């Protein structure tokens, strides 16, 4: 590339998201399960919020954390899925650099917050099982609010340097990103500079959050470790293959990364909502009442 062309290409204002490289011909078919997951995530998490708000008996720490998880999943899905589907359906691949950094920040922040919410839920279970008589005095509304704030601040602050580190690098190789959504390492790998600071920081944050949270969950309530550990395996796989998985097929890596982002928001309302007896009973009462009203209208 000539000097003039390189100068003109330095720090492009827009980037191109390829979707799932190597599977472009199948984008339409791949979009079907992705769209279904998005719809189920929206409906499931809204249902959780509606049920908890409607039933005063569910106004307890466990369900506050569950509502926090539902809100987080709603925002995470809506931050990411529409752009992915627009790539699959409309071939709308361009994204402004500032928009890329914004989406990247929210995806990584919300993923970190979700991990913290799992820890908070594990803490609630630990107190309920080990200190049942003191549960209401230990996890007061004030304590729950402080835990929730700490979870949000931790994710927001730890991820905050990512967009600033990504913005400072010069980009003169290409503006084509081999991914379907905005991931930190996917953009900094395009920089024509030494990105060790970004790479080491993101690696440290990922291992700090995942490692610390897994340990805390294991200590507080080991029985729920199985339910949430599947969320970390695809995450770590995606993260590590970006750096060390040179022999992993790119389309396979992108598919795993998308499953990590899209699947939990759909499954969380089922795992932590429908399987909870109080929420299941409330949901059944609502459906029974609606069925009775419909029957009376027909009569």
């Amino acid at each position: 590339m000539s000097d003039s062309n390189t100068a003109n290409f330095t720090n492009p204002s827009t980037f191109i998201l390829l979707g799932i490289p190597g599977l472009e011909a199948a984008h339409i078919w791949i979009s079907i399960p992705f769209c279904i997951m998005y719809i189920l995530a929206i409906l499931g998490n809204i249902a959780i919020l509606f049920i908890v708000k409607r039933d005063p008996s569910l106004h307890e720490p466990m369900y506050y954390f569950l509502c926090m998880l539902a809100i987080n999943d709603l925002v995470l899905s809506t931050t990411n899925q529409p752009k992915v589907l627009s790539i699959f359906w409309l071939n709308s691949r361009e994204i402004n650099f500032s928009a890329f950094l914004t989406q990247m920040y929210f995806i990584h922040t919300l993923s970190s917050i979700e991990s913290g919410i799992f820890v908070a839920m594990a803490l609630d279970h630990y107190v309920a099982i080990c200190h049942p008589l003191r549960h209401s005095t230990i996890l007061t509304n004030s304590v729950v609010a402080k835990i929730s704030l700490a979870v949000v601040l931790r994710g927001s602050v730890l991820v905050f340097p990512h967009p600033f580190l990504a913005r400072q690098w010069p980009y003169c190789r290409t503006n084509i990103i081999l991914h379907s959504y905005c991931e930190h390492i996917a953009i900094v790998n395009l920089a024509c500079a030494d990105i060790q600071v970004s790479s080491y920081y993101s690696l440290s944050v990922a291992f700090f959050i995942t490692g610390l949270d897994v340990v805390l969950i294991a200590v507080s309530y080991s029985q729920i470790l199985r339910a949430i550990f599947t969320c970390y395996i695809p995450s770590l796989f995606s993260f590590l293959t970006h750096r060390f998985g040179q022999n992993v097929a790119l389309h396979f890596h992108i598919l795993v990364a998308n499953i990590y982002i899209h699947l939990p928001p759909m499954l969380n309302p089922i795992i932590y909502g429908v399987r909870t007896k109080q929420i299941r009973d409330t949901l059944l009462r609502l459906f029974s009442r609606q069925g009775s009203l419909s029957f009376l209208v027909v009569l």
Side-chain angles (χ1 to χ4, degrees):
M1 184 181 291
S2 67
D3 292 341
S4 59
N5 288 338
T6 301
N8 290 334
F9 190 73
T10 299
N11 296 330
S13 59
T14 60
F15 287 84
I16 307 296
L17 291 166
L18 282 189
I20 303 179
L23 296 178
E24 288 88 351
H27 274 180
I28 290 294
W29 297 107
I30 295 172
S31 71
I32 295 173
F34 277 42
C35 182
I36 292 172
M37 284 191 288
Y38 182 45
I39 293 171
L40 291 177
I42 296 297
L43 294 177
N45 287 293
I46 288 177
I48 293 293
L49 294 172
F50 175 76
I51 291 169
V52 174
K53 183 178 185 302
R54 185 183 180 92
D55 192 342
S57 69
L58 300 180
H59 295 176
E60 299 177 358
M62 173 183 173
Y63 301 104
Y64 293 151
F65 292 136
L66 187 58
C67 286
M68 189 177 175
L69 181 64
I71 293 171
N72 190 81
D73 284 342
L74 281 171
V75 179
L76 178 59
S77 296
T78 305
T79 297
N80 177 58
Q81 281 274 40
K83 180 59 181 177
V84 173
L85 292 176
S86 73
I87 294 172
F88 291 161
W89 290 342
L90 307 174
N91 203 30
S92 176
R93 302 181 176 189
E94 284 195 2
I95 186 168
N96 180 272
F97 188 32
S98 296
F100 184 101
L101 295 178
T102 301
Q103 190 195 73
M104 178 192 75
Y105 174 75
F106 277 105
I107 287 175
H108 289 292
T109 296
L110 293 166
S111 297
S112 173
I113 290 173
E114 179 159 311
S115 182
I117 296 171
F118 286 138
V119 175
M121 294 171 70
L123 174 64
D124 173 73
H125 283 290
Y126 168 78
V127 175
I129 291 171
C130 298
H131 306 282
L133 299 180
R134 298 173 54 204
H135 183 271
S136 60
T137 58
I138 294 175
L139 289 180
T140 62
N141 288 342
S142 174
V143 171
V144 170
K146 289 176 182 177
I147 292 173
S148 301
L149 181 61
V151 167
V152 172
L153 287 178
R154 186 192 69 160
S156 303
V157 171
L158 288 177
V159 178
F160 192 69
H162 280 358
F164 293 97
L165 288 172
R167 186 178 285 279
Q168 76 171 351
W169 306 124
Y171 297 94
C172 56
R173 293 176 180 171
T174 180
N175 67 338
I176 297 175
I177 298 173
L178 303 178
H179 216 301
S180 59
Y181 64 85
C182 306
E183 191 176 58
H184 174 253
I185 201 63
I187 184 72
V188 298
N189 276 339
L190 301 182
C192 46
D194 185 355
I195 61 167
Q196 284 190 355
V197 174
S198 287
S199 184
Y200 287 150
Y201 180 76
S202 61
L203 192 64
S204 300
V205 169
F207 276 107
F208 172 74
I209 291 175
T210 303
L212 178 64
D213 289 356
V214 167
V215 169
L216 290 175
I217 289 169
V219 169
S220 63
Y221 194 26
S222 61
Q223 290 187 0
I224 72 168
L225 191 60
R226 289 197 312 271
I228 62 112
F229 196 69
T230 54
C231 297
Y232 292 113
I233 293 175
S235 171
L236 283 174
F237 177 85
S238 174
F239 191 83
L240 293 174
T241 51
H242 257 310
R243 292 161 175 77
F244 311 117
Q246 305 300 326
N247 297 323
V248 177
L250 182 61
H251 67 269
F252 180 71
H253 160 65
I254 303 299
L255 278 172
V256 171
N258 276 277
I259 290 171
Y260 163 64
I261 290 292
H262 301 150
L263 195 60
M266 181 192 74
L267 292 180
N268 286 335
I270 300 172
I271 295 174
Y272 299 105
V274 177
R275 286 179 59 186
T276 303
K277 184 178 185 301
Q278 291 91 329
I279 289 182
R280 188 169 63 247
D281 291 345
T282 302
L283 191 61
L284 290 173
R285 285 199 302 270
L286 286 174
F287 278 117
S288 298
R289 186 178 305 169
Q290 291 295 327
S292 299
L293 289 175
S294 300
F295 179 73
L296 290 174
V297 168
V298 172
L299 291 177

